Amino acid sequence: DVTTTYIAGVDVGGTFTDVTLIEGASGRSWTAKTPSTPADPSRGFLHGLESAAALAGCVTADLSRVFHGTTVATNAILQRQPSRAGLITTAGFGSVLEIGRHDIPRGENYWGWLKPPRPVAPEHIVEVGERVDRDGNVLIPLDENSARQAVRRLRALGIESIAVSLLYSFLYPDHERRIAAICAEEHPDALVSLSSEVLPQFREFERTMTTALNAYVAPHVARYLAALEQRLPAGASLLIMKSSGGVMGAAQAARQGIATALSGPAAGVIGAVRTAAAAGFMDIITIDVGGTSADVCLVRGGQPDVTAEGVVGGFPIELPMMDIHTIGAGGGSIARATSTGGMIVGPESAGAEPGPACYGHGGVEPTVTDAQLVLGRIPPALLGGEIALDHQAAREAVARVAAPLDLSIEDAAAGIIAIADANMMGALRVVSVRRGHDPRDFTLVAFGGAGPLHAARLAELLEIGRVLVPPAPGVLSTLGLLSTDLRNDYVQGVHLRPPFDPAAVQEAYDRLERDAAAWLASEGVPPADRSVTRAADLHYAGQGHELTVDAPSGPITAGALAAIEEAFHREHARLYTYDLRAQPVELVSVRVAATGRLPKAPLTEQVTADEPAPAAPDGERLVIWARGEDARMTPSHARDRLRPGRRVNGPAVIDQPDATTLIPPAWAAVVDGWGNLILTPRAS
């Protein structure tokens, strides 16, 4: 019960592990930020929990629930970590993964793009005799002998995780289920992923790829979660954030590891939405800049967009996930001089080990953090003094790019940051301008350890007039973890052509809703805290992609189906400025989202003065604000001393243990009643 015990949110990133601990009885909170431990992320996880518990004066045994955002699945895909995964598929379809689609990713060079290596090697793909037609009728029964031989072959190859993706199994899953039973007999230690459970939809490449990726990450996720549960107190339940914004139990996450591919970034968006909504801002663009990446998401009306066409590491993942655009740009991004006399920054990162050169852990390559230190924009120590920064090491690192480009160290550092800003601006344009949104209509919410360092400049580049920096930007993802609900998504491909049969659609929804109800009961959610919503995927006949619209609850009638079709026409017109009402509409899939509401710690507001009072600085340091400028003595403020109603005029820096916020000369910041910094351009 959140009112009597402690709950924690833990976000393990590529560089730092962030923790927020909340006491249920009082609502008091404590935060901790510790270096991640890439070799064994569970060590950093536990150390972060222990650090937060020490601040709260409790022990980890007092925890009743731990919410967790993880990058284990993402890193396994992006870093191509070794995984002994195999695939069983229908005879004649063993090359589905390799063939893929005829197009190349948007933005890639047509002549230079190379297809990424598939998650399952060709020699680990085996075919079995069976065939089902497009209507779900069995043409060739499953050849159980060939299936048994296939499993034995994979076992002999040392395969530890098996994906099963048969043609049209989303309409007739019995053959896949029988293969799973054979796997249990012949290779009981193998982790098995069925496409009819992971993604029961048409399009065999996307379905097979998503299932294969689930098998690929399964050993990594399962081992990691097992290690976590061993280290956690026996009475603490572990809930894992999904890419769609809900959480699930650890046992389910071990089976559906691919559903955690954007776990940490999704938590950050939820935290940003809750923070901004409390302050009255419903249309926002979030930017989460950590040590390795920058994650960007556009939110309208307080609701993040959720897509079923996500991409991670160049691979399609057609599971519900927040529409987050990620690039390799963060504090640890490495800068290099090019042979043509230019400079590139990222996507390679120094990560947590060895980290930026200024951390003193053996890193020598110049990073964005090193450049910030050279320019005086960050303090001489991070995390409240836990990490002392080596200014000389930062200068020596930046000199590695300054010398070949014939630049001063200071100009090279300014160039590194300018390039990083340009990369982040490109990501912001992807989610706004390229999708028909004017960024000037939104508030930029900046968080992550490095987000507030770049926020004002990014707003200038995109002519955004307001920036919100939350009270604890470096650990905002943990607030998102503590602000979420249990959620599971169910989908069933139906591919119905008009006129739609209400009985067939009702049957599909009933089946999914029974599964949803069973899951909510298994998670112990009281009936009063359960909700189940419907959606549907539709497209015009001949189109290659669908739109998802809400579907009404209650009996499926001709009127209900007409309402779904009308919603599709309106959504198509909103997105593409036209609809085709004379064109037949096809119902491709039905969806159900099951939600179990969880208690949340309240946010509290303080009364602020109508006229913000100027804040007195706590210190000062030399800061270079632009390339070619001399360093100027700049006021510095401790964030925890800025009470609501205080104003800080630029130029200024605002330091806190988890982040530093830059207030450029032409900007000012005001602390609102929620403790947020609201940055706006100063009147000229």
Side-chain angles (χ1 to χ4, degrees):
D1 185 344
V2 73
T3 63
T4 58
T5 55
Y6 292 86
I7 60 172
V10 184
D11 180 31
V12 178
T15 306
F16 288 103
T17 294
D18 305 329
V19 181
T20 292
L21 185 69
I22 294 179
E23 182 185 28
S26 65
R28 295 178 61 200
S29 65
W30 299 264
T31 63
K33 194 176 186 76
T34 62
S36 294
T37 51
D40 181 4
S42 66
R43 288 194 300 108
F45 177 101
L46 187 63
H47 181 242
L49 270 182
E50 291 172 341
S51 298
L55 293 173
C58 68
V59 293
T60 56
D62 295 328
L63 290 167
S64 64
R65 187 178 291 146
V66 178
F67 296 82
H68 181 31
T70 173
T71 58
V72 170
T74 312
N75 291 342
I77 297 171
L78 296 179
Q79 298 171 10
R80 303 293 192 266
Q81 294 176 2
S83 185
R84 303 289 294 178
L87 170 65
I88 297 175
T89 189
T90 301
F93 288 83
S95 298
V96 164
L97 285 181
E98 188 59 37
I99 294 171
R101 294 294 178 192
H102 71 278
D103 57 348
I104 68 172
R106 185 174 181 176
E108 295 287 350
N109 184 307
Y110 182 82
W111 305 107
W113 179 75
L114 296 176
K115 186 184 300 183
R118 289 346 201 187
V120 179
E123 60 269 22
H124 295 162
I125 299 174
V126 292
E127 302 177 2
V128 298
E130 70 91 43
R131 191 64 183 266
V132 175
D133 69 13
R134 59 181 293 181
D135 295 316
N137 301 311
V138 177
L139 300 180
I140 302 175
L142 175 66
D143 182 343
E144 293 202 9
N145 183 59
S146 72
R148 199 170 293 276
Q149 293 302 317
V151 176
R152 290 175 179 173
R153 177 182 171 187
L154 293 177
R155 183 186 64 191
L157 290 170
I159 296 301
E160 59 181 345
S161 183
I162 299 173
V164 183
S165 183
L166 305 179
L167 194 64
Y168 294 113
S169 62
F170 62 94
L171 294 175
Y172 186 83
D174 290 17
H175 287 176
E176 286 194 354
R177 292 171 181 167
R178 179 57 190 149
I179 292 176
I182 292 173
C183 288
E185 298 170 4
E186 298 289 343
H187 194 2
D189 294 332
L191 301 170
V192 180
S193 300
L194 305 183
S195 75
S196 53
E197 295 178 354
V198 174
L199 187 66
Q201 292 178 256
F202 85 126
R203 293 197 179 98
E204 62 271 23
F205 168 62
E206 287 79 4
R207 177 164 51 86
T208 302
M209 177 60 77
T210 303
T211 307
L213 286 171
N214 193 67
Y216 181 84
V217 304
H220 301 282
V221 174
R223 283 193 289 264
Y224 172 64
L225 293 180
L228 281 189
E229 291 197 299
Q230 287 179 354
R231 294 174 184 251
L232 280 176
S237 61
L238 180 63
L239 297 173
I240 308 301
M241 172 64 78
K242 301 177 65 174
S243 305
S244 60
V247 292
M248 57 184 170
Q252 182 183 358
R255 297 191 302 270
Q256 300 179 8
I258 196 60
T260 69
L262 290 180
S263 175
V269 172
I270 292 174
V273 168
R274 187 177 183 201
T275 299
F281 306 119
M282 305 302 288
D283 295 330
I284 64 175
I285 301 176
T286 70
I287 180 162
D288 177 3
V289 186
T292 303
S293 66
D295 306 309
V296 180
C297 183
L298 185 139
V299 178
R300 295 169 299 161
Q303 293 295 325
D305 287 339
V306 176
T307 181
E309 298 179 356
V311 176
V312 176
F315 298 130
I317 299 177
E318 296 210 345
L319 294 173
M321 60 177 60
M322 286 193 183
D323 195 1
I324 297 171
H325 183 64
T326 298
I327 62 169
S333 294
I334 295 173
R336 300 189 189 282
T338 67
S339 59
T340 56
M343 186 194 298
I344 58 173
V345 179
E348 184 183 358
S349 173
E353 297 175 358
C358 61
Y359 283 13
H361 296 157
V364 295
E365 301 286 355
T367 68
V368 173
T369 298
D370 294 312
Q372 300 280 18
L373 183 61
V374 166
L375 299 179
R377 299 182 180 183
I378 57 177
L382 303 179
L383 304 186
E386 184 176 333
I387 298 179
L389 301 182
D390 187 335
H391 189 272
Q392 183 59 33
R395 292 184 61 84
E396 292 173 359
V398 174
R400 294 166 68 96
V401 292
L405 299 178
D406 196 23
L407 295 172
S408 70
I409 292 177
E410 289 75 14
D411 282 353
I416 290 171
I417 294 173
I419 293 171
D421 286 340
N423 292 339
M424 294 178 201
M425 181 188 69
L428 290 165
R429 288 178 60 86
V430 166
V431 302
S432 58
V433 177
R434 287 194 187 178
R435 299 179 185 176
H437 302 289
D438 188 339
R440 294 173 295 186
D441 296 334
F442 294 79
T443 296
L444 182 65
V445 180
F447 56 101
L453 285 167
H454 299 268
R457 179 54 182 159
L458 293 173
E460 288 178 343
L461 292 171
L462 291 167
E463 299 181 26
I464 295 174
R466 181 169 51 228
V467 175
L468 185 152
V469 179
V475 296
L476 185 71
S477 293
T478 60
L479 174 64
L481 290 166
L482 296 168
S483 301
T484 191
D485 293 311
L486 287 165
R487 174 173 172 144
N488 207 13
D489 297 277
Y490 302 85
V491 62
Q492 177 62 57
V494 291
H495 215 116
L496 299 176
R497 301 164 184 82
F500 303 137
D501 178 7
V505 179
Q506 183 73 66
E507 180 184 359
Y509 275 123
D510 287 346
R511 185 183 317 117
L512 297 184
E513 287 170 350
R514 285 194 298 270
D515 292 342
W519 175 74
L520 288 167
S522 70
E523 293 289 346
V525 179
D529 292 329
R530 302 177 189 177
S531 66
V532 176
T533 57
R534 295 172 175 173
D537 298 344
L538 304 96
H539 64 199
Y540 291 116
Q543 279 188 324
H545 294 278
E546 297 74 52
L547 295 180
T548 302
V549 298
D550 293 336
S553 58
I556 297 296
T557 62
L561 291 172
I564 293 173
E565 189 172 344
E566 176 61 26
F568 166 75
H569 288 306
R570 290 198 304 268
E571 181 69 1
H572 198 281
R574 185 186 71 82
L575 290 173
Y576 305 115
T577 72
Y578 71 94
D579 55 40
L580 302 172
R581 292 179 180 270
Q583 183 76 2
V585 174
E586 296 179 340
L587 177 58
V588 178
S589 303
V590 297
R591 297 180 180 273
V592 162
T595 302
R597 285 181 293 275
L598 297 173
K600 301 168 183 64
L603 299 178
T604 56
E605 183 180 16
Q606 299 181 32
V607 177
T608 58
D610 293 335
E611 290 294 331
D618 299 290
E620 58 183 8
R621 63 175 179 264
L622 288 169
V623 177
I624 297 175
W625 287 95
R627 181 179 173 184
E629 291 186 0
D630 292 332
R632 68 165 84 176
M633 194 60 71
T634 300
S636 63
H637 298 261
R639 178 77 182 264
D640 59 3
R641 291 172 59 86
L642 294 176
R643 312 314 302 167
R646 290 297 183 182
R647 177 185 181 92
V648 177
N649 292 322
V653 292
I654 300 177
D655 297 322
Q656 57 191 110
D658 60 325
T660 292
T661 302
L662 296 183
I663 315 295
W667 286 69
V670 174
V671 183
D672 72 2
W674 302 95
N676 303 305
L677 287 173
I678 307 298
L679 281 63
T680 54
R682 296 171 63 182
S684 58

